[in-house]
Amino acid sequence: MVHNDQRTLRKPWSIAFVAEAEEAASLRRLMRLHLGLWGLPGVIETAQLCVTEMLSNVITHVGPGTPTTLSVAMNGRHVRIEIQDPDTRALPTLLQAGAESEGGRGMALIDAMAVRWGVEPRANRKVTWCELAAEPDLSPSTHDDPRVNGAEGLLDVYRGEETRDAMLVGSQRLSLARAEEAAIDIIADLLHWLHTHGRDADDFLDRVQTHFEAEARSSA
């Protein structure tokens, strides 16, 4: 069962970008970050693969440099991923790619992984979308975890408007939503700080993810 508090944090988001192969890594990192914040670690790899294939489809059939938008939202118990591009003629189709075929596999992979997918031609663009089954990672209470307590303390300082105790009583949904916004602000400011000091923000995110996964495995 998905708790209501968790649902309130899953706000739709979108990002505009130019369809180039180099964008794939950044889009995968965004999917990992947002789906992790949404408490959906089990769907991250599948979502990353779907985004990569949908991006590749735009590059192949519409062209490199195409203005494109990625949008992600929850549709009930499913993660809905949309890729929008301005070409209403090049519609993705499901091909039966042979063993020797170098193309035609992208939508077949999405068809195999997604609960459903489709293409919606609109007046000045088309939307290619897919929906993935998402089961939340509902963990036991973490109020006694020193790392969680430390993170909540940092969020309290950064927000400057609520104490940690306020997250446990009263308007918990609002408090958690504000905490998520503060966490995003913290990460964004850290990435900006790294950039201004000539550091690679993408490399930093990779190292953080590796560290997090290692600690998760050791504590399992």
Side-chain angles (χ1 to χ4, degrees):
M1 178 182 298
V2 180
H3 292 315
N4 288 333
D5 291 336
Q6 197 170 32
R7 284 177 177 169
T8 62
L9 302 182
R10 297 175 182 170
K11 299 178 181 178
W13 61 273
S14 64
I15 182 170
F17 62 97
V18 175
E20 299 285 357
E22 294 77 10
E23 291 291 338
S26 296
L27 295 178
R28 287 194 294 267
R29 290 188 182 95
L30 282 172
M31 295 299 297
R32 181 177 66 196
L33 175 63
H34 281 274
L35 293 179
L37 288 172
W38 285 2
L40 301 172
V43 78
I44 289 176
E45 290 187 9
T46 303
Q48 288 177 321
L49 183 54
C50 286
V51 167
T52 301
E53 294 298 336
M54 293 164 79
L55 168 62
S56 177
N57 189 77
V58 174
I59 295 172
T60 301
H61 298 289
V62 183
T66 299
T68 311
T69 300
L70 167 67
S71 300
V72 182
M74 293 299 299
N75 182 18
R77 295 176 63 85
H78 299 92
V79 175
R80 183 181 177 91
I81 302 170
E82 297 183 352
I83 288 283
Q84 300 184 28
D85 70 72
D87 192 330
T88 59
R89 298 166 301 171
L91 302 181
T93 57
L94 182 60
L95 302 179
Q96 297 298 322
E100 303 300 323
S101 174
E102 295 182 358
R105 301 179 187 276
M107 300 315 296
L109 284 172
I110 292 175
D111 183 67
M113 293 182 296
V115 174
R116 48 187 169 264
W117 69 275
V119 184
E120 299 176 6
R122 299 181 183 175
N124 58 353
R125 67 189 188 280
K126 72 172 179 291
V127 179
T128 304
W129 60 271
C130 68
E131 294 189 353
L132 309 176
E135 291 296 334
D137 180 23
L138 299 179
S139 304
S141 174
T142 55
H143 297 319
D144 295 328
D145 188 323
R147 284 191 176 89
V148 173
N149 292 338
E152 289 178 348
L154 178 60
L155 292 174
D156 294 338
V157 173
Y158 208 82
R159 289 180 298 180
E161 61 183 49
E162 293 187 50
T163 65
R164 177 175 176 274
D165 290 341
M167 293 184 63
L168 307 180
V169 297
S171 57
Q172 187 180 32
R173 296 183 190 178
L174 179 59
S175 298
L176 289 174
R178 289 175 177 171
E180 182 193 9
E181 293 174 358
I184 292 173
D185 287 340
I186 290 171
I187 294 170
D189 285 351
L190 287 173
L191 293 179
H192 179 73
W193 180 87
L194 288 166
H195 177 73
T196 59
H197 287 77
R199 310 296 291 182
D200 187 337
D202 287 340
D203 177 65
F204 170 78
L205 288 174
D206 282 338
R207 289 163 56 195
V208 170
Q209 183 68 18
T210 299
H211 182 73
F212 172 77
E213 291 173 351
E215 288 193 343
R217 286 193 297 269
S218 65
S219 61

Coordinates of all heavy atoms in Angstrom, one line a residue, residues 85-145:
D85 N 8.5 15.8 -28.8 CA 9.4 16.4 -29.8 C 8.5 17.1 -30.8 O 7.3 16.8 -30.9 CB 10.3 15.4 -30.4 CG 9.6 14.4 -31.3 OD1 9.1 14.8 -32.4 OD2 9.4 13.2 -30.9
P86 N 9.0 18.0 -31.7 CA 8.2 18.8 -32.6 C 7.8 18.1 -33.9 O 7.0 18.7 -34.7 CB 9.0 20.0 -32.8 CG 10.4 19.5 -32.7 CD 10.4 18.5 -31.6
D87 N 8.2 16.9 -34.1 CA 7.9 16.3 -35.4 C 6.7 15.4 -35.3 O 6.7 14.4 -34.6 CB 9.1 15.4 -35.9 CG 9.0 15.0 -37.3 OD1 7.9 14.8 -37.8 OD2 10.0 14.8 -38.0
T88 N 5.6 15.8 -35.9 CA 4.4 15.0 -35.8 C 4.3 13.9 -36.8 O 3.3 13.1 -36.9 CB 3.2 15.9 -35.9 OG1 3.2 16.6 -37.2 CG2 3.1 17.0 -34.8
R89 N 5.3 13.8 -37.7 CA 5.2 12.8 -38.8 C 5.9 11.5 -38.4 O 5.5 10.4 -38.8 CB 5.8 13.4 -40.1 CG 5.1 14.6 -40.6 CD 5.9 15.3 -41.6 NE 7.2 15.7 -41.1 CZ 8.2 16.2 -41.8 NH1 8.1 16.3 -43.1 NH2 9.4 16.6 -41.2
A90 N 7.1 11.6 -37.8 CA 7.9 10.4 -37.5 C 7.3 9.8 -36.2 O 7.7 10.1 -35.1 CB 9.4 10.8 -37.2
L91 N 6.4 8.8 -36.4 CA 5.7 8.2 -35.3 C 6.4 6.9 -35.0 O 6.6 6.0 -35.9 CB 4.3 7.9 -35.6 CG 3.5 9.2 -35.9 CD1 2.0 8.8 -36.2 CD2 3.5 10.2 -34.8
P92 N 6.8 6.6 -33.7 CA 7.5 5.4 -33.3 C 6.5 4.2 -33.6 O 5.3 4.3 -33.3 CB 7.7 5.5 -31.8 CG 7.7 7.0 -31.6 CD 6.7 7.5 -32.6
T93 N 7.1 3.1 -34.1 CA 6.3 1.9 -34.3 C 7.0 0.7 -33.7 O 8.2 0.7 -33.5 CB 6.0 1.6 -35.8 OG1 7.3 1.6 -36.5 CG2 5.2 2.7 -36.4
L94 N 6.2 -0.3 -33.4 CA 6.8 -1.5 -32.8 C 7.2 -2.5 -34.0 O 6.3 -3.0 -34.7 CB 5.8 -2.2 -31.9 CG 6.3 -3.5 -31.2 CD1 7.5 -3.2 -30.4 CD2 5.1 -4.1 -30.4
L95 N 8.5 -2.7 -34.2 CA 9.0 -3.5 -35.3 C 9.5 -4.8 -34.7 O 9.9 -4.9 -33.6 CB 10.2 -2.8 -35.9 CG 9.9 -1.4 -36.5 CD1 11.2 -0.9 -37.1 CD2 8.8 -1.5 -37.6
Q96 N 9.4 -5.8 -35.5 CA 9.9 -7.1 -35.2 C 11.3 -7.2 -35.7 O 11.6 -7.6 -36.8 CB 9.1 -8.3 -35.8 CG 7.6 -8.3 -35.3 CD 7.6 -8.6 -33.8 OE1 8.4 -9.4 -33.3 NE2 6.7 -8.0 -33.1
A97 N 12.3 -6.7 -34.9 CA 13.7 -6.7 -35.4 C 14.3 -8.0 -35.4 O 14.2 -8.8 -34.5 CB 14.5 -5.8 -34.4
G98 N 14.9 -8.3 -36.5 CA 15.6 -9.6 -36.7 C 16.9 -9.7 -35.9 O 17.4 -8.7 -35.4
A99 N 17.4 -10.9 -35.9 CA 18.7 -11.1 -35.1 C 19.8 -10.2 -35.7 O 20.7 -9.8 -35.0 CB 19.1 -12.5 -35.1
E100 N 19.8 -9.9 -37.0 CA 20.9 -9.2 -37.6 C 20.5 -7.7 -37.7 O 21.3 -6.9 -38.2 CB 21.1 -9.7 -39.1 CG 21.5 -11.2 -39.1 CD 22.7 -11.5 -38.3 OE1 23.6 -10.7 -38.3 OE2 22.7 -12.6 -37.6
S101 N 19.4 -7.3 -37.3 CA 18.9 -5.9 -37.4 C 19.7 -5.0 -36.4 O 19.8 -5.4 -35.2 CB 17.4 -5.8 -37.2 OG 17.0 -4.4 -37.2
E102 N 20.1 -3.9 -36.8 CA 20.8 -2.9 -35.9 C 19.8 -1.9 -35.3 O 20.1 -1.2 -34.4 CB 21.9 -2.2 -36.7 CG 23.0 -3.1 -37.1 CD 24.1 -2.3 -37.8 OE1 23.9 -1.0 -38.0 OE2 25.1 -2.9 -38.2
G103 N 18.6 -1.9 -35.9 CA 17.6 -0.9 -35.4 C 16.3 -1.6 -35.2 O 16.1 -2.8 -35.3
G104 N 15.3 -0.8 -34.7 CA 14.0 -1.4 -34.5 C 13.8 -2.0 -33.2 O 12.7 -2.6 -32.9
R105 N 14.8 -2.0 -32.3 CA 14.7 -2.7 -31.1 C 14.1 -1.8 -30.0 O 13.6 -2.3 -29.0 CB 16.0 -3.3 -30.6 CG 16.7 -4.2 -31.6 CD 18.0 -4.7 -31.1 NE 18.7 -5.5 -32.1 CZ 18.6 -6.8 -32.3 NH1 17.7 -7.4 -31.5 NH2 19.2 -7.4 -33.2
G106 N 14.3 -0.5 -30.1 CA 14.0 0.4 -29.0 C 12.5 0.3 -28.5 O 12.3 0.1 -27.3
M107 N 11.6 0.4 -29.4 CA 10.2 0.3 -28.9 C 9.8 -1.1 -28.5 O 8.9 -1.3 -27.7 CB 9.2 0.9 -30.0 CG 9.5 2.3 -30.4 SD 9.7 3.4 -29.0 CE 8.1 3.4 -28.2
A108 N 10.5 -2.1 -29.1 CA 10.3 -3.5 -28.7 C 10.7 -3.7 -27.2 O 10.0 -4.3 -26.4 CB 11.0 -4.4 -29.6
L109 N 11.8 -3.0 -26.8 CA 12.3 -3.1 -25.5 C 11.3 -2.4 -24.5 O 10.9 -2.9 -23.5 CB 13.6 -2.4 -25.3 CG 14.8 -3.2 -25.8 CD1 16.1 -2.4 -25.8 CD2 15.0 -4.5 -25.0
I110 N 10.8 -1.2 -24.9 CA 9.8 -0.5 -24.1 C 8.5 -1.3 -24.0 O 7.9 -1.4 -22.9 CB 9.6 0.9 -24.7 CG1 10.8 1.7 -24.6 CG2 8.3 1.5 -24.1 CD1 10.7 3.1 -25.2
D111 N 8.1 -1.9 -25.1 CA 6.9 -2.8 -25.1 C 7.0 -3.9 -24.1 O 6.1 -4.3 -23.5 CB 6.6 -3.3 -26.5 CG 5.3 -4.1 -26.6 OD1 4.3 -3.5 -26.4 OD2 5.4 -5.3 -26.8
A112 N 8.3 -4.5 -24.0 CA 8.5 -5.6 -23.1 C 8.5 -5.2 -21.7 O 8.1 -5.9 -20.8 CB 9.8 -6.3 -23.5
M113 N 9.0 -3.9 -21.4 CA 9.2 -3.5 -20.0 C 8.0 -2.7 -19.4 O 7.7 -2.8 -18.2 CB 10.4 -2.6 -19.9 CG 11.7 -3.3 -20.2 SD 13.2 -2.2 -20.0 CE 12.9 -1.1 -21.3
A114 N 7.3 -2.0 -20.3 CA 6.2 -1.1 -19.8 C 4.9 -1.9 -19.7 O 4.6 -2.9 -20.4 CB 6.1 0.0 -20.8
V115 N 4.1 -1.4 -18.8 CA 2.7 -1.9 -18.7 C 1.9 -1.5 -19.9 O 1.1 -2.3 -20.5 CB 2.0 -1.3 -17.4 CG1 0.5 -1.7 -17.4 CG2 2.7 -1.8 -16.2
R116 N 2.2 -0.3 -20.4 CA 1.5 0.2 -21.7 C 2.4 1.3 -22.2 O 3.1 2.0 -21.5 CB 0.1 0.6 -21.4 CG -0.1 1.5 -20.2 CD -1.6 1.8 -20.0 NE -1.7 2.5 -18.7 CZ -2.0 1.8 -17.5 NH1 -2.2 0.5 -17.5 NH2 -2.2 2.5 -16.4
W117 N 2.2 1.6 -23.5 CA 2.9 2.8 -24.1 C 2.1 3.2 -25.3 O 1.2 2.5 -25.8 CB 4.4 2.4 -24.5 CG 4.5 1.4 -25.6 CD1 4.4 0.1 -25.6 CD2 4.6 1.7 -27.0 NE1 4.6 -0.5 -26.8 CE2 4.7 0.5 -27.7 CE3 4.7 2.9 -27.7 CZ2 4.8 0.5 -29.1 CZ3 4.9 2.9 -29.1 CH2 5.0 1.6 -29.8
G118 N 2.5 4.4 -25.8 CA 1.7 4.9 -26.9 C 2.3 6.2 -27.5 O 3.3 6.7 -27.0
V119 N 1.7 6.7 -28.5 CA 2.2 7.9 -29.2 C 0.9 8.8 -29.4 O -0.1 8.3 -29.9 CB 2.9 7.7 -30.5 CG1 3.4 9.0 -31.1 CG2 4.0 6.7 -30.4
E120 N 1.0 10.1 -29.0 CA -0.1 11.0 -29.1 C 0.3 12.2 -30.0 O 1.0 13.1 -29.5 CB -0.5 11.5 -27.8 CG -1.0 10.4 -26.8 CD -1.3 11.0 -25.4 OE1 -1.3 12.2 -25.3 OE2 -1.6 10.2 -24.5
P121 N -0.1 12.2 -31.3 CA 0.2 13.4 -32.1 C -0.7 14.5 -31.7 O -1.9 14.4 -31.4 CB -0.2 12.9 -33.5 CG -0.3 11.4 -33.4 CD -0.7 11.1 -32.0
R122 N 0.0 15.7 -31.6 CA -0.8 16.9 -31.2 C -0.6 18.0 -32.3 O 0.1 17.7 -33.3 CB -0.4 17.4 -29.8 CG -0.7 16.3 -28.7 CD -0.3 16.7 -27.4 NE -0.5 15.6 -26.4 CZ -0.2 15.7 -25.1 NH1 0.4 16.8 -24.6 NH2 -0.5 14.7 -24.3
A123 N -1.1 19.2 -32.0 CA -1.1 20.2 -33.1 C 0.3 20.5 -33.5 O 0.6 20.6 -34.7 CB -1.8 21.4 -32.5
N124 N 1.3 20.7 -32.6 CA 2.6 21.1 -33.0 C 3.7 20.2 -32.4 O 4.9 20.6 -32.4 CB 2.8 22.6 -32.6 CG 2.7 22.7 -31.0 OD1 2.2 21.8 -30.4 ND2 3.0 23.9 -30.6
R125 N 3.3 19.1 -32.0 CA 4.3 18.2 -31.4 C 3.7 16.8 -31.3 O 2.5 16.6 -31.5 CB 4.8 18.6 -30.0 CG 3.7 18.6 -29.0 CD 4.2 19.3 -27.7 NE 3.3 19.1 -26.6 CZ 2.2 19.8 -26.4 NH1 1.8 20.7 -27.3 NH2 1.4 19.6 -25.3
K126 N 4.5 15.8 -30.9 CA 4.0 14.5 -30.6 C 4.6 14.1 -29.2 O 5.7 14.5 -28.8 CB 4.4 13.4 -31.6 CG 5.8 13.0 -31.7 CD 5.9 11.8 -32.6 CE 7.4 11.3 -32.7 NZ 8.2 12.3 -33.4
V127 N 3.8 13.3 -28.5 CA 4.2 12.8 -27.2 C 4.3 11.3 -27.3 O 3.4 10.6 -27.6 CB 3.2 13.2 -26.1 CG1 3.6 12.6 -24.8 CG2 3.1 14.7 -26.1
T128 N 5.5 10.7 -27.0 CA 5.7 9.3 -26.9 C 5.8 9.0 -25.4 O 6.6 9.6 -24.7 CB 7.0 8.9 -27.6 OG1 7.0 9.3 -29.0 CG2 7.2 7.4 -27.5
W129 N 5.0 8.1 -24.9 CA 4.9 7.8 -23.5 C 4.9 6.3 -23.2 O 4.6 5.5 -24.0 CB 3.7 8.5 -22.9 CG 2.4 7.9 -23.5 CD1 1.7 8.4 -24.6 CD2 1.6 6.8 -23.1 NE1 0.6 7.7 -24.9 CE2 0.5 6.7 -23.9 CE3 1.8 5.9 -22.0 CZ2 -0.4 5.6 -23.8 CZ3 0.8 4.9 -21.9 CH2 -0.3 4.8 -22.7
C130 N 5.3 6.0 -22.0 CA 5.2 4.7 -21.4 C 4.9 4.8 -20.0 O 5.2 5.8 -19.3 CB 6.4 3.9 -21.7 SG 7.9 4.4 -20.8
E131 N 4.3 3.7 -19.4 CA 3.9 3.6 -18.0 C 4.5 2.4 -17.4 O 4.4 1.3 -18.0 CB 2.4 3.7 -17.8 CG 1.9 5.1 -18.2 CD 0.4 5.2 -17.7 OE1 -0.2 4.2 -17.3 OE2 -0.1 6.3 -17.9
L132 N 5.2 2.5 -16.3 CA 5.9 1.4 -15.6 C 5.2 1.1 -14.3 O 4.8 2.0 -13.5 CB 7.3 1.7 -15.4 CG 8.1 2.2 -16.6 CD1 9.6 2.6 -16.2 CD2 8.2 1.1 -17.7
A133 N 5.0 -0.2 -14.0 CA 4.5 -0.5 -12.7 C 5.5 -0.1 -11.6 O 6.7 -0.4 -11.7 CB 4.2 -2.0 -12.6
A134 N 5.0 0.6 -10.5 CA 5.9 1.1 -9.5 C 5.4 0.6 -8.1 O 4.3 0.9 -7.7 CB 5.9 2.6 -9.5
E135 N 6.2 -0.1 -7.5 CA 5.9 -0.6 -6.1 C 6.8 0.2 -5.2 O 8.1 0.2 -5.3 CB 6.2 -2.1 -5.9 CG 5.2 -2.9 -6.7 CD 3.8 -2.8 -6.2 OE1 3.6 -2.4 -5.0 OE2 2.9 -3.0 -7.0
P136 N 6.3 0.9 -4.2 CA 7.1 1.7 -3.3 C 7.9 0.9 -2.4 O 7.6 -0.2 -2.0 CB 6.0 2.5 -2.4 CG 4.8 1.6 -2.4 CD 4.8 0.9 -3.8
D137 N 9.1 1.4 -2.0 CA 10.0 0.8 -1.1 C 9.7 1.3 0.3 O 10.2 2.3 0.8 CB 11.5 1.1 -1.4 CG 12.5 0.5 -0.5 OD1 12.1 -0.5 0.1 OD2 13.6 1.0 -0.4
L138 N 8.7 0.7 0.9 CA 8.3 1.1 2.3 C 9.2 0.5 3.3 O 9.2 -0.7 3.6 CB 6.8 0.7 2.5 CG 5.8 1.2 1.5 CD1 4.4 0.7 1.8 CD2 5.8 2.7 1.5
S139 N 10.0 1.4 3.9 CA 10.9 0.9 4.9 C 10.4 1.1 6.3 O 9.5 1.8 6.6 CB 12.2 1.7 4.8 OG 12.7 1.6 3.5
P140 N 11.0 0.3 7.3 CA 10.5 0.5 8.7 C 10.8 1.9 9.2 O 11.6 2.7 8.5 CB 11.4 -0.5 9.5 CG 11.9 -1.5 8.4 CD 12.0 -0.7 7.2
S141 N 10.3 2.3 10.3 CA 10.6 3.6 10.8 C 12.1 3.9 11.0 O 12.8 3.0 11.4 CB 9.9 3.8 12.2 OG 10.2 5.0 12.8
T142 N 12.5 5.1 10.6 CA 13.9 5.4 10.6 C 14.3 6.5 11.6 O 15.3 7.1 11.5 CB 14.4 5.8 9.2 OG1 13.6 6.9 8.8 CG2 14.3 4.6 8.2
H143 N 13.4 6.8 12.5 CA 13.6 7.9 13.4 C 14.8 7.7 14.3 O 15.3 8.6 14.9 CB 12.3 8.1 14.3 CG 11.1 8.5 13.4 ND1 11.2 9.4 12.4 CD2 9.8 8.1 13.5 CE1 10.0 9.5 11.8 NE2 9.1 8.8 12.5
D144 N 15.2 6.4 14.5 CA 16.4 6.2 15.4 C 17.7 6.0 14.5 O 18.7 5.7 15.1 CB 16.2 4.9 16.2 CG 15.0 5.0 17.1 OD1 14.8 6.1 17.6 OD2 14.3 4.0 17.4
D145 N 17.6 6.2 13.3 CA 18.8 6.1 12.4 C 19.6 7.5 12.5 O 19.0 8.5 12.2 CB 18.4 5.9 11.0 CG 19.6 5.6 10.1 OD1 20.6 6.2 10.3 OD2 19.4 4.8 9.1

